[in-house]
Amino acid sequence: MIKPYLYIQKTKEKGRGVFTKEAIPAGTTIEVSPVLVLSNSDTQIADTTKLHNYIFLWGVRETRSCVALGYCSIYNHSYDPNCEYEMDFDAETMAIKTRRAIKKGEELQINYNGDPEDVSSVWFDVKRK
């Protein structure tokens, strides 16, 4: 399920991103998408390819990864994200939920570290506000 008001658009600094055509209230689930779970050995291979920038660590011990379908892999990173993601390991899905009210036309962003409050470095340079 992807809300019909979401769309993908190129940004000046981050490549593609996910945006909204409508205002969205805080606490709204805007996407629930299936994932393809990769084994540890497949994860090691994927980490040597362009997929490295689009996969998520998977499982309680994070020994595997997943390719998220839908828009999940297109949301850009922010240390002050307006959305967060939740993984359902049993259902093999990822959900994206708004953390605050979102304005029409605003880019939707997640923290790639998983925890929206985690300010640990990621694998690329990030401009901090």
Side-chain angles (χ1 to χ4, degrees), residues 99-112:
R99 297 181 66 221
R100 61 167 173 78
I102 310 291
K103 297 175 187 171
K104 177 182 177 179
E106 188 173 349
E107 182 177 8
L108 303 165
Q109 300 176 329
I110 59 176
N111 184 326
Y112 287 2

Side-chain angles (χ1 to χ4, degrees), residues 92-127:
E92 295 187 349
T93 60
M94 281 184 64
I96 307 290
K97 184 176 181 179
T98 58
R99 297 181 66 221
R100 61 167 173 78
I102 310 291
K103 297 175 187 171
K104 177 182 177 179
E106 188 173 349
E107 182 177 8
L108 303 165
Q109 300 176 329
I110 59 176
N111 184 326
Y112 287 2
N113 291 321
D115 177 353
E117 307 298 323
D118 187 341
V119 295
S120 301
S121 296
V122 291
W123 64 97
F124 55 91
D125 290 333
V126 177
K127 288 185 181 179

Side-chain angles (χ1 to χ4, degrees), residues 13-81:
E13 297 178 351
K14 296 182 176 184
R16 293 176 293 177
V18 180
F19 293 80
T20 178
K21 295 177 192 173
E22 298 178 9
I24 310 170
T28 302
T29 299
I30 56 174
E31 178 172 356
V32 178
S33 292
V35 302
L36 301 174
V37 179
L38 303 178
S39 67
N40 184 279
S41 58
D42 285 344
T43 296
Q44 291 176 29
I45 294 167
D47 274 340
T48 67
T49 71
K50 189 174 183 173
L51 278 177
H52 171 78
N53 294 320
Y54 297 94
I55 59 176
F56 294 82
L57 292 176
W58 187 259
V60 175
R61 294 180 295 159
E62 298 183 338
T63 57
R64 297 172 292 160
S65 67
C66 74
V67 176
L69 304 176
Y71 292 170
C72 290
S73 292
I74 305 297
Y75 292 86
N76 283 314
H77 170 75
S78 173
Y79 285 118
D80 184 24

